[in-house]
Amino acid sequence: MKKTLIAVGIAIFAFCGIFYSCKKNSKPINYPQKKITVICPWGQGGGTDAILRALCKSAEKFLDVPVEVKNITGGAGGLGHAAIKDANTDGYTLGMITFELNSLPQQKLIDFTYKNIDPLIRVNTDAATLTVNKNAPYNTIQEFVDYCKANPGQVTIGNSAPGSVWNIAAGLFASEAKIDVRHFPFEGAAGAVEAVAGGHIDAITVSLPEVKTQLDAGKVKVLGIMTEKRLRSYPNIPTFKEQGYDLNFGTWRGLALPIGVNSQIKQILIDAFTKAEEDMEFKETALNLNLSLAYQNSDDFEKFLEQNFTDTASTMQAIGLTH
């Protein structure tokens, strides 16, 4: 009987300890108390930078502290993604991850994968285009292909660094069309857009939001977009598919934390940025930039990253970017 009472006492003591511990850990965290920094792996002026700045501006309404974007570029997006992975786990540094998180490991250009970060939400997706200078001697995908075949190895296609999403888009197109072109890398889409508008390269394979300003100014023309259907905002731009090239390809962008951030802080950030994505001001900005919103919660985004990693590996192998 005495042993039984002792055992019961120990059990009660242990339960109380667990209860106290849980109660202690459930105490609300006073967060945030200072500026939050969001890392952008790409340069200012590109689609990633544009949508991130708009999202952070809206997020400030729900976090009540400044939310600033910090551009860390280089290594085809590798340096910025590494900075997100290695950031302090106090919750005051997060970042926008992009397609390259799943393409760079395939080429051994970075030694980590999506498994080494903690996804928050997916923000948007954007399809690739084939965009050329306004004075280019071709107005359709087929005319561009015919020109490339008549001038093998001479046509230059600019995109955002080897192994990046737009580099893969160019490679997919070249493989599908069986053309020999020269790929011209830039650290982000903005430089590539300026180069094609200035007539320094022949074409680019970046997203429509990234060429919108030059397109609206009449300095470039878009020959096709890699979507299933034409965009409502630019119904005059035909898809690749309707021009005989069955290509449906583009980028994605989302927010992530370094692994190890307190779960309460993570949830506060998820809630705030989810509200920011639903904010009408942000939606209007995205619409004006022709950015396609494609929200996913944390769990769905994690599943998406896993599937996209596998799909990206298959695509890159098919066009000879990996072995």
Side-chain angles (χ1 to χ4, degrees):
M1 182 69 179
K2 186 176 181 180
K3 289 183 178 179
T4 302
L5 289 173
I6 291 173
V8 170
I10 291 172
I12 292 172
F13 179 78
F15 174 79
C16 289
I18 292 171
F19 177 78
Y20 174 76
S21 176
C22 291
K23 187 175 181 181
K24 182 179 180 182
N25 290 336
S26 64
K27 182 180 179 180
I29 290 179
N30 187 13
Y31 169 90
Q33 302 180 62
K34 61 180 182 179
K35 176 186 73 176
I36 293 173
T37 298
V38 187
I39 295 170
C40 178
W42 301 99
Q44 295 186 27
T48 303
D49 180 74
I51 195 168
L52 181 55
R53 289 181 185 277
L55 186 65
C56 288
K57 181 181 177 182
S58 289
E60 290 181 337
K61 301 176 184 178
F62 310 104
L63 290 166
D64 293 324
V65 296
V67 182
E68 297 184 358
V69 174
K70 182 179 181 180
N71 299 86
I72 300 180
T73 63
L79 293 183
H81 283 95
I84 297 167
K85 174 182 72 73
D86 297 332
N88 193 303
T89 57
D90 61 2
Y92 287 97
T93 304
L94 60 148
M96 176 158 271
I97 58 175
T98 64
F99 176 94
E100 288 69 27
L101 180 61
N102 279 345
S103 63
L104 296 179
Q106 317 283 0
Q107 296 179 300
K108 306 285 192 293
L109 295 176
I110 57 176
D111 60 359
F112 58 92
T113 70
Y114 69 92
K115 295 179 181 180
N116 300 110
I117 55 91
D118 193 2
L120 291 179
I121 63 171
R122 190 179 74 176
V123 176
N124 89 306
T125 59
D126 278 313
T129 67
L130 180 65
T131 300
V132 300
N133 185 272
K134 65 175 182 178
N135 297 320
Y138 23 74
N139 294 296
T140 66
I141 299 293
Q142 192 56 53
E143 288 178 0
F144 180 83
V145 170
D146 291 342
Y147 184 89
C148 290
K149 289 183 176 180
N151 300 274
Q154 300 302 309
V155 175
T156 52
I157 298 183
N159 40 71
S160 50
S164 69
V165 62
W166 305 137
N167 176 240
I168 295 172
L172 267 176
F173 171 49
S175 177
E176 179 77 10
K178 296 179 174 57
I179 54 176
D180 177 19
V181 296
R182 288 189 294 140
H183 299 281
F184 206 100
F186 293 84
E187 280 294 345
V193 175
E194 290 178 6
V196 78
H200 306 299
I201 56 176
D202 297 305
I204 50 176
T205 48
V206 304
S207 71
L208 184 59
E210 290 165 323
V211 301
K212 181 182 185 301
T213 300
Q214 300 289 6
L215 177 63
D216 291 347
K219 295 182 179 180
V220 299
K221 51 188 177 183
V222 178
L223 305 187
I225 187 167
M226 296 184 189
T227 54
E228 285 292 330
K229 299 179 180 179
R230 296 192 184 199
L231 301 183
R232 286 186 297 175
S233 53
Y234 284 87
N236 59 315
I237 298 176
T239 67
F240 271 68
K241 189 171 184 179
E242 65 185 278
Q243 296 184 76
Y245 296 91
D246 192 8
L247 293 175
N248 185 17
F249 185 78
T251 193
W252 54 262
R253 304 179 181 95
L255 296 177
L257 287 165
I259 290 176
V261 175
N262 179 282
S263 60
Q264 290 185 52
I265 292 177
K266 177 181 176 180
Q267 192 58 54
I268 290 170
L269 289 169
I270 289 174
D271 292 344
F273 279 100
T274 295
K275 290 176 182 176
E277 179 140 2
E278 295 169 349
D279 183 55
M280 284 308 301
E281 183 180 0
F282 171 70
K283 285 186 174 182
E284 288 176 6
T285 299
L287 181 64
N288 291 335
L289 292 171
N290 287 293
L291 292 162
S292 303
L293 300 183
Y295 175 86
Q296 282 185 330
N297 63 34
S298 182
D299 291 338
D300 290 341
F301 188 26
E302 188 170 7
K303 293 174 184 175
F304 167 82
L305 289 172
E306 181 179 4
Q307 185 61 54
N308 183 254
F309 184 84
T310 300
D311 294 344
T312 300
S314 299
T315 299
M316 293 179 72
Q317 186 172 11
I319 61 178
L321 287 177
T322 58
H323 302 287

